[in-house]
Amino acid sequence: MNTASRRASTIRILGNLALTAGLLVSAITLGSDTGATEPHVLAGLLVAIGIGLRIEAAVSDSRS
């Protein structure tokens, strides 16, 4: 396994973790809605970062 493929795999795993954390924060916040928007913003940022990391991994994996 070359370094570019290993790097893409690591980025993909981090993207999955960020997506999972964002969706988990969103689900927990919806279950106990207190009216605060900060957790929803955090969940949105985590999901956006996760999607971005997954896209980066796909692009860098297709180049190698």
Side-chain angles (χ1 to χ4, degrees), residues 18-43:
L19 278 170
T20 304
L23 293 174
L24 188 62
V25 167
S26 179
I28 290 171
T29 303
L30 288 176
S32 61
D33 190 18
T34 60
T37 60
E38 291 86 6
H40 294 291
V41 172
L42 174 66

Side-chain angles (χ1 to χ4, degrees), residues 2 4 7 9-10 12 15-18 21 25 29-31 33 35-38 41 47 50 62:
N2 60 8
R7 181 178 179 272
S9 178
T10 303
R12 188 174 294 117
N16 284 340
L17 287 173
V25 167
T29 303
L30 288 176
D33 190 18
T37 60
E38 291 86 6
V41 172
V47 169
S62 68

Side-chain angles (χ1 to χ4, degrees), residues 1 4-9 11 13-14 23-24 26 30 35 40-41 45 48 50 52-55 58 62 64:
M1 180 181 265
S5 178
R6 195 170 356 160
R7 181 178 179 272
S9 178
I11 292 172
I13 290 169
L14 288 174
L23 293 174
L24 188 62
S26 179
L30 288 176
H40 294 291
V41 172
L45 286 174
L53 287 172
R54 293 286 309 212
I55 290 171
S62 68
S64 57

